[in-house]
Amino acid sequence: MENLKGVANTLYLPMVARIYVSRHFPEYFCDQKALSLANSLPAGVEQGSDEYTHMAHVDRCWQMDHTVQSFILSHPGCNIIYLGVGLDTGFDRVPHGAEHFYGIDLPEAIALRKQVLGEREGETLIAGDMFAMGWVSSIDKTLPTLIVVSGVFQYFHIEQVQRFIGQLKQSFPQGELVFDATNSTGLKFTNKFVQRSGNTASLMYFYVDDANLFAKQTGTHILSEKMFHTQARHILRGKLKFRTRLFMFGCDLLKRAKIIHLQLR
């Protein structure tokens, strides 16, 4: 399997995390698709990861999945668009029916996704730069649309993200956007982990200290702001290592990692 470099190499890290948590804590999260691929991942891809980083990846997934599920229940037949889809298995994890699922990513990432996950009925994959907006022409923009951006915005500067959200507002009049962000302190912590993993080409820049202010700056309406670890801390309690529980508690208390859900209108 091709070992991508730079930002694209981080495609593997969330998959490794989903496998780890599915094996150790299935009562909280179980990704059967990821488990089926456990023996196919490149050797050494888990380097630098620990229980906390695995949980951070999966807690983000947990929150995103529940947002997608709620949107589908409220808008049957809607669009679900994963930007920077990578090797995400949300299509497999979230129950769905007549909804239209799209995955957009750079050509090399889409090629790897097809190699690892194949092409499935009900999921449309589009290769291209999400910021170039060419992918929009392939989607019925009259339908209610949820745009999911998981682990992507961090690699770009805030001005670029704000301009992009402005373009999404124009393209999807019935759209909502859900994305994850760290605050400025959390960004420093995350970059230390990235440097420890040796993937220095994937340093991060984007952060949100005040979600309400960010919504005001982008002319959007904030629907919710949720911390990463709330559910995991409740469900798993004493099953996690003390160090993991301590980091999760501090992260939530200081709002270092959050899921922000915006209405684009």
Side-chain angles (χ1 to χ4, degrees):
M1 187 178 296
E2 183 184 4
N3 187 14
L4 301 180
K5 297 183 182 298
V7 172
N9 192 45
T10 61
L11 294 171
Y12 294 116
L13 297 179
M15 176 76 77
V16 170
R18 295 197 302 273
I19 292 169
Y20 176 91
V21 176
S22 296
R23 284 174 172 170
H24 290 83
F25 310 111
E27 68 273 32
Y28 168 60
F29 180 92
C30 189
D31 187 334
Q32 294 292 347
K33 188 65 174 179
L35 286 171
S36 72
L37 297 167
N39 295 326
S40 303
L41 299 184
V45 71
E46 73 283 355
Q47 180 181 357
S49 297
D50 57 16
E51 186 181 71
Y52 174 72
T53 55
H54 289 321
M55 289 304 303
H57 281 301
V58 168
D59 291 348
R60 177 176 63 193
C61 278
W62 196 99
Q63 297 282 9
M64 295 288 191
D65 286 354
H66 279 259
T67 301
V68 172
Q69 289 172 352
S70 296
F71 192 84
I72 287 174
L73 287 173
S74 300
H75 306 88
C78 62
N79 295 321
I80 304 295
I81 303 173
Y82 288 90
L83 297 182
V85 66
L87 297 178
D88 186 79
T89 48
F91 177 78
D92 303 278
R93 296 191 306 267
V94 177
H96 54 272
E99 288 69 39
H100 308 272
F101 278 73
Y102 296 88
I104 290 87
D105 213 323
L106 297 172
E108 61 268 31
I110 292 295
L112 180 63
R113 182 178 180 85
K114 290 179 179 179
Q115 179 185 345
V116 175
L117 298 175
E119 297 184 66
R120 285 85 63 79
E121 184 177 354
E123 181 187 43
T124 301
L125 301 177
I126 303 173
D129 180 350
M130 71 180 199
F131 287 100
M133 300 299 289
W135 52 273
V136 171
S137 62
S138 302
I139 297 172
D140 183 352
K141 295 178 283 296
T142 66
L143 295 176
T145 299
L146 177 64
I147 301 165
V148 182
V149 187
S150 180
V152 176
F153 280 162
Q154 287 87 342
Y155 299 105
F156 302 93
H157 293 278
I158 188 169
E159 297 81 8
Q160 189 173 6
V161 174
Q162 290 176 332
R163 286 195 300 269
F164 179 62
I165 292 175
Q167 293 174 304
L168 292 179
K169 287 173 57 181
Q170 294 178 2
S171 298
F172 296 97
Q174 299 187 66
E176 295 180 14
L177 169 68
V178 59
F179 65 96
D180 63 299
T182 62
N183 65 11
S184 52
T185 303
L187 187 72
K188 294 177 184 177
F189 177 87
T190 303
N191 275 333
K192 286 182 180 179
F193 164 72
V194 171
Q195 291 171 323
R196 190 169 71 246
S197 71
N199 193 12
T200 55
S202 299
L203 293 177
M204 303 179 187
Y205 308 97
F206 175 76
Y207 64 88
V208 175
D209 281 333
D210 186 329
N212 287 291
L213 177 60
F214 184 80
K216 183 178 180 180
Q217 291 169 337
T218 54
T220 57
H221 173 67
I222 188 164
L223 296 173
S224 67
E225 178 188 16
K226 299 178 181 178
M227 300 305 109
F228 263 35
H229 307 299
T230 307
Q231 283 73 24
R233 289 170 50 219
H234 173 72
I235 294 169
L236 297 179
R237 297 183 183 239
K239 296 180 180 180
L240 297 165
K241 296 175 182 178
F242 174 75
R243 178 177 182 272
T244 302
R245 300 198 309 271
L246 182 64
F247 280 13
M248 291 168 69
F249 175 77
C251 183
D252 283 354
L253 180 66
L254 300 174
K255 295 186 176 183
R256 286 185 176 175
K258 61 195 82 176
I259 306 291
I260 299 171
H261 186 185
L262 301 177
Q263 188 175 54
L264 293 174
R265 285 182 297 183

